[in-house]
Every structure is written in structure tokens, then in C-alpha cells.
């Protein structure tokens, strides 16, 4: 089975490279190169699925199909019910954005602006280049350490994504405080495996969110054993949403 999957991936890559524009093919190659690991609390996390993009996405100039990615951006949005009516003309912050897949996917739904924060500079550089090639000028990507961020340096956003980052920061409670500070509208939160999502939900309510809804666990990862990350959304009072 694993051999057949490998053959299929190689075939898909060959087809992509033979049909893609040179600039897109070069970005695809870089994407595969940076997707194998990311920073964790102490050191680096090496993904078991090597040779794949971390997450699928689609732009006018570069599309990463789900078959070539570990995670499915479209499915991630669907689990949170993030459809056009929920995101159009709104500002979005993605903390721990990797190479920008979620913001690229959201750009198809008419968001007003997007800011992605990522620790690895090579992923930031790549996300910027994909955005430039795709003429997504309303998207911005910055290199930063989430543990060192505050609302003064970020501002407030209508939609905040914090997906699978809570186990990789030094102070999870400080992360929750940051999320409360920067969220003007709705927070979409994915814990890592083993996250106490009930405790996180309780803490978010204490920090000023008006409501929290737990959404079960994710189902967008190509490795079934990784679909154990708990999901929730939390929202501020309607009077605080613009």
C-alpha cells in the first residue's frame, strides 16, 4: 500500500512539473523542501509524511492538490464553517501560518486582508513569493516568535486562526491571553493531540469571550492517527464585532 501511494505521489508531481509554469514549478519545489519540519517548543518537529506539502491550497497561479499535502485546507475551513458569508470583507490573522496555505485558501472567499505569522524565515519568504506571484497584495507574512507577540504589535482582527500551535509555545496560557487580546470577532482554535480543550474553552471565557463551542476533532490529515486534534470556536460579544 505504501509503495503504491509513493508511486501515485511521484506521478502527480511529474504531471504538475510538466504542466506548470517555470515560476510555479520552482515554488512547488521550494514548498516541498520547507514542509518537512517546523519549530516546536524544544527543537524541531520532523513530519512523518516527508516529500509532501504541509497543507493543500489553491491560488490563481499555484495549486497544491490534497494528494500532495498532509493536510487539507478546504476541509479545515469546512470543519469551522468558514464559508464566504462568514469571511468576506473581514480581516484575518493566522498565528503559526507555516507557508501560508490557510490564508491562500481564504483569499478565494473574499477576505479583506490577511496577516500570517511564522517562526521559520524560509516559510515566510516562500509565502511572500507565492502571494506576489498570485497577486494577492492584501496578504502579508511576517517572521516572529509567537511567545514574544502582543496586541500592540499585531492589532485586532475579525477572524483569528490558531491551528495546532498551543503545544509548541513556551507558555500556553500566554497564548490564550494573546488570542483574547487580538480577536475582535471570532477565534478558530485547534489544539494539538492531548490538548485539554475543555480547560482551554473555560480559560477563553474567563478572558472575555462571550461564547465557546467545541467542535470535536479534526479530520483533514492524510494520516488518520493525526486526526486527534480538538477544535473549538470562540466569539466576542456582538457589540465588539465589526
Amino acid at each position: 500500500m505504501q509503495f503504491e501511494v509513493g508511486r501515485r505521489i511521484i506521478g502527480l508531481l511529474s504531471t504538475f512539473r510538466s504542466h506548470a509554469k517555470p515560476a510555479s514549478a520552482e515554488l512547488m519545489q521550494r514548498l516541498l523542501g520547507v514542509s518537512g519540519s517546523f519549530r516546536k517548543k524544544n527543537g524541531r518537529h520532523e513530519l512523518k509524511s516527508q516529500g509532501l506539502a504541509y497543507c493543500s491550497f489553491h491560488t490563481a497561479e499555484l495549486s497544491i492538490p490534497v494528494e500532495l499535502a498532509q493536510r487539507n485546507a478546504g476541509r479545515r475551513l469546512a470543519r469551522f464553517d468558514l464559508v464566504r458569508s462568514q469571511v468576506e470583507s473581514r480581516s484575518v490573522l493566522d498565528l503559526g501560518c507555516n507557508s501560508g496555505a490557510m490564508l491562500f485558501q481564504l483569499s478565494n472567499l473574499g477576505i479583506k486582508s490577511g496577516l500570517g505569522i511564522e517562526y521559520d524565515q524560509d516559510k515566510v519568504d516562500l509565502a511572500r513569493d507565492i502571494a506576489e506571484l498570485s497577486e494577492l497584495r492584501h496578504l502579508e507574512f511576517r517572521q516572529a516568535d509567537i511567545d514574544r507577540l502582543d496586541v500592540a504589535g499585531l492589532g485586532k482582527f475579525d477572524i483569528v486562526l490558531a491551528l495546532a500551535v498551543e503545544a509548541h509555545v513556551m507558555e500556553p496560557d500566554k497564548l490564550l491571553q494573546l488570542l483574547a487580546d487580538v480577536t475582535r470577532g471570532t477565534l478558530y482554535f485547534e489544539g494539538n493531540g492531548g490538548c485539554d480543550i475543555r480547560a482551554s474553552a473555560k480559560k477563553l471565557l474567563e478572558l472575555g469571550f462571550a461564547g465557546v463551542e467545541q467542535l470535536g476533532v479534526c479530520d483533514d490529515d492524510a494520516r488518520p492517527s493525526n486526526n486527534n486534534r480538538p477544535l473549538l470556536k470562540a466569539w466576542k460579544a456582538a457589540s465588539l464585532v465589526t
Side-chain angles (χ1 to χ4, degrees):
M1 176 67 73
Q2 187 173 3
F3 177 72
E4 289 300 323
V5 172
R7 285 183 58 184
R8 186 181 181 194
I9 290 172
I10 292 172
L12 286 167
L13 283 170
S14 298
T15 300
F16 176 90
R17 288 165 178 153
S18 64
H19 291 87
K21 299 176 183 178
S24 297
E26 186 267 337
L27 290 174
M28 174 66 168
Q29 194 64 39
R30 286 170 59 192
L31 185 61
L32 296 178
V34 304
S35 290
S37 72
F38 54 80
R39 184 210 186 193
K40 62 180 183 180
K41 186 179 298 186
N42 297 303
R44 304 287 299 180
H45 175 73
E46 299 292 333
L47 274 66
K48 294 180 180 179
S49 299
Q50 294 293 314
L52 296 175
Y54 177 68
C55 190
S56 65
F57 64 84
H58 169 74
T59 75
E61 295 296 330
L62 182 62
S63 293
I64 305 302
V66 296
E67 295 87 353
L68 294 181
Q70 179 165 328
R71 306 206 70 177
N72 181 333
R75 186 60 191 154
R76 295 180 100 175
L77 295 181
R79 284 303 308 276
F80 286 121
D81 195 29
L82 277 168
V83 296
R84 179 175 289 273
S85 61
Q86 298 294 322
V87 305
E88 191 169 24
S89 300
R90 290 177 169 84
S91 59
V92 181
L93 171 67
D94 186 1
L95 289 172
C97 69
N98 204 278
S99 297
M102 298 305 294
L103 288 177
F104 294 138
Q105 195 69 17
L106 281 165
S107 70
N108 300 309
L109 301 178
I111 61 173
K112 178 176 69 175
S113 62
L115 172 61
I117 302 296
E118 169 57 40
Y119 183 82
D120 290 340
Q121 185 66 56
D122 55 356
K123 293 182 175 71
V124 173
D125 293 340
L126 175 58
R128 289 171 175 169
D129 289 345
I130 295 172
E132 181 178 3
L133 180 69
S134 303
E135 298 185 351
L136 299 174
R137 298 182 179 87
H138 60 309
L139 301 185
E140 178 186 356
F141 297 94
R142 298 180 196 167
Q143 188 281 327
D145 184 341
I146 293 175
D147 284 302
R148 298 175 179 270
L149 293 174
D150 57 34
V151 65
L154 290 173
K156 291 180 178 288
F157 296 81
D158 302 316
I159 293 170
V160 175
L161 305 179
L163 307 180
V165 297
E166 56 86 20
H168 302 301
V169 298
M170 300 303 294
E171 300 180 63
D173 282 346
K174 183 179 177 181
L175 170 65
L176 295 178
Q177 179 66 67
L178 176 66
L179 296 176
D181 291 341
V182 300
T183 302
R184 179 166 51 217
T186 307
L187 164 68
Y188 297 89
F189 180 89
E190 178 185 81
N192 294 89
C195 170
D196 186 343
I197 199 67
R198 292 183 179 179
S200 297
K202 180 180 178 181
K203 185 66 174 180
L204 290 171
L205 289 171
E206 293 172 355
L207 291 171
F209 283 88
V212 175
E213 180 181 2
Q214 296 180 45
L215 302 171
V217 296
C218 68
D219 62 0
D220 59 273
D221 200 293
R223 298 180 66 88
S225 60
N226 287 342
N227 285 318
N228 62 348
R229 302 182 180 103
L231 309 174
L232 67 75
K233 67 176 180 180
W235 55 93
K236 294 292 182 71
S239 61
L240 299 179
V241 181
T242 61

